Amino acid sequence: MKSIIYNIGTLAGILPEGVLKLEGAQMNEVKCIENAYLVIEDGIITDFGPEKTKCADSDAPYIVNPNEIPAVISSEVEKSPEETEYIDAKGGFVMPAFCDSHTHIVYAGCRDGEFRDKIAGLSYEEIAARGGGILNSADLLHDTSEEELYRQSMERVNEIMAMGTGAVEIKSGYGLTVEDELKMLRVIRKIKETTPLTVKANFLGAHAVGRAYRGRQSEYVDLVCNEMLPKVAEEGLADYVDVFCDAGFFTVEETARILEKAAEYGIRPKIHANELEVSGGVQVGVKYNALSVDHLEKTTEAEIEALRDSGTMPTMLPGCSFFLGIPYGNAKGYIEAGLPVALASDYNPGSSPSGNMRFVMALGCIRMRLTPEQSFNACTINSAYAMGVSDTLGSITIGKKANLIITKKIPSLAFIPYSHQTPIIEKLILS
Ligand code: NIG
Ligand code: FE
């Protein structure tokens, strides 16, 4: 099957083959072609370039006026016209679909009661310490069947697709018992099998200490290492392993124990670090070759130095800062230090009940003072890297999968985060 997108006002996010992430000053640019076409064959981008208007001896097969297409199409296309689909971008942008490298979208019910507590002045830590927070979601999940959990989660999957997300990482971590963690991971696997989204599963058994283990944190870590991880690995349910390495949750030593065990099964970490305190999570993540360290609302020079020359993507979650009213990660400082930065939504019921990557891109600009180009790169190629898919997604590159957003006609790249509530998505193509 061949598709030709023509009449593209701006083709944005072009990268050469082999670029898996952008760092430092490389993040300042988004390469674009104005008035472009793009060819997709069997879900893969096989060609793109500037479109030329009809001209008798032009060797360019792609034209602006759709009515004239059959007359000037290349001989190769003429051979099988019935298999070729023409998509008129009507002067809009064509860009890579967003990659959301950090979410918790499989959960049961919601936590709107805690929203009231939060407004009344309780902090995230205070709500958690009262047995609310993650444990509240674990209780709800325990009482929800696997089918119902899938149904509720699919509503959020469809919601994020409608907002332009083409790839998503989904964590477990609201089970906190062997059975319930497996239940969550099976739901994530079913989402993987039943949606056009690219999905990566992340096992977050160490999200909080399960209720039955209250006061016995070390034994809970044993449970994660000796019972949960072997079963998760045996069933092939996780692409990654995660730990909430932060004040009041899991220590650096406990994190190391879990990552050590995960390494025996060949499961690479992506971890939560430095949301509530400078936790040492970044350093332990880098030590165990984490693909990403996420949150980073609290960081010092030491974290920047630990990440330098590592393969670990610093990932910031501005939706969480927005919702909890906590500081934003120092994305600009990281980029000025020559590092890459990815942005993700952290969609979850407690600290970021939104998976809108366009809003994330806007917060990147408005609150973290990234340029629209830096924020665009953080939400596409770098977030693709942070979930291990940047070899096939995250940019307009020959040979990559065609996961694309076609927008309405918009004036500029900056318009995407600037007018972030204006509906602009005309079509999402997922391959
Ligand atoms: O990334 N920080 C830990 N986990 C989530 C919040 C989970 C919850 O509160 O339900 C986060 O913010
Ligand atoms: Fe999270």
Side-chain angles (χ1 to χ4, degrees), residues 73 140 168 327 361 374 382:
I73 225 69
L140 285 167
V168 65
M361 189 179 162
Q374 290 169 334
N382 282 1

Side-chain angles (χ1 to χ4, degrees), residues 21-41:
K21 60 178 174 175
L22 297 174
E23 52 194 24
Q26 295 170 339
M27 289 186 71
N28 298 346
E29 194 200 357
V30 172
K31 187 162 187 295
C32 297
I33 298 178
E34 307 297 321
N35 304 318
Y37 70 89
L38 180 139
V39 181
I40 304 165
E41 286 175 88

Side-chain angles (χ1 to χ4, degrees), residues 102-104 171 204 207 242 272 275 294-295 317 346-348 351:
H102 181 135
T103 82
H104 309 247
K171 299 170 196 297
L204 176 53
H207 198 191
D242 202 334
H272 283 73
E275 174 184 356
D294 302 22
H295 272 287
L317 312 169
D346 197 18
Y347 194 173
N348 76 75
S351 68

Side-chain angles (χ1 to χ4, degrees), residues 123-135 211 214 248-249:
S123 70
Y124 184 81
E125 294 96 312
E126 283 164 342
I127 291 170
R130 293 199 319 182
I134 295 167
L135 294 181
R211 279 203 199 277
R214 201 186 172 105
F249 289 85

Side-chain angles (χ1 to χ4, degrees), residues 5-243:
I5 311 177
Y6 63 97
N7 210 1
I8 301 172
T10 303
L11 181 63
I14 300 165
L15 285 175
E17 259 175 84
V19 177
L20 297 182
K21 60 178 174 175
L22 297 174
E23 52 194 24
Q26 295 170 339
M27 289 186 71
N28 298 346
E29 194 200 357
V30 172
K31 187 162 187 295
C32 297
I33 298 178
E34 307 297 321
N35 304 318
Y37 70 89
L38 180 139
V39 181
I40 304 165
E41 286 175 88
D42 297 325
I44 302 293
I45 300 171
T46 55
D47 190 16
F48 60 82
E51 194 172 58
K52 297 183 186 162
T53 45
K54 187 180 177 184
C55 164
D57 8 281
S58 164
D59 56 1
Y62 309 107
I63 61 160
V64 172
N65 181 348
N67 300 324
E68 296 178 37
I69 280 183
V72 294
I73 225 69
S74 72
S75 55
E76 190 211 335
V77 176
E78 265 171 20
K79 272 187 233 152
S80 54
E82 71 286 356
E83 286 174 27
T84 303
E85 166 196 33
Y86 297 95
I87 302 168
D88 185 354
K90 297 181 184 152
F93 268 58
V94 170
M95 59 175 271
F98 293 117
C99 293
D100 193 349
S101 64
H102 181 135
T103 82
H104 309 247
I105 58 170
V106 171
Y107 60 84
C110 69
R111 305 225 296 268
D112 50 356
E114 289 173 16
F115 183 53
R116 293 185 179 280
D117 296 338
K118 195 180 86 70
I119 294 165
L122 288 187
S123 70
Y124 184 81
E125 294 96 312
E126 283 164 342
I127 291 170
R130 293 199 319 182
I134 295 167
L135 294 181
N136 192 349
S137 287
D139 293 342
L140 285 167
L141 187 130
H142 181 73
D143 294 334
T144 303
S145 71
E146 197 168 313
E147 293 67 37
E148 175 58 15
L149 186 60
Y150 171 74
R151 193 196 63 73
Q152 292 185 20
S153 304
M154 280 302 290
E155 286 184 0
R156 290 183 280 270
V157 164
N158 291 327
E159 178 196 333
I160 62 171
M161 278 200 283
M163 295 186 295
T165 294
V168 65
E169 179 257 28
I170 311 173
K171 299 170 196 297
S172 69
Y174 294 123
L176 312 181
T177 65
V178 177
E179 264 323 299
D180 288 345
E181 281 297 307
L182 292 175
K183 175 162 93 178
M184 283 193 81
L185 288 164
R186 288 185 192 125
V187 167
I188 298 171
R189 179 170 64 191
K190 192 161 168 201
I191 293 171
K192 221 183 236 194
E193 289 165 357
T194 55
T195 72
L197 278 176
T198 299
V199 176
K200 292 287 178 188
N202 193 345
F203 167 58
L204 176 53
H207 198 191
V209 175
R211 279 203 199 277
Y213 285 79
R214 201 186 172 105
R216 297 185 292 139
Q217 176 143 337
S218 178
E219 287 172 54
Y220 183 75
V221 174
D222 291 340
L223 181 81
V224 171
C225 291
N226 302 331
E227 293 194 44
M228 291 184 185
L229 258 172
K231 289 211 170 68
V232 167
E234 189 187 322
E235 285 194 43
L237 286 169
D239 300 295
Y240 302 110
V241 63
D242 202 334
V243 177

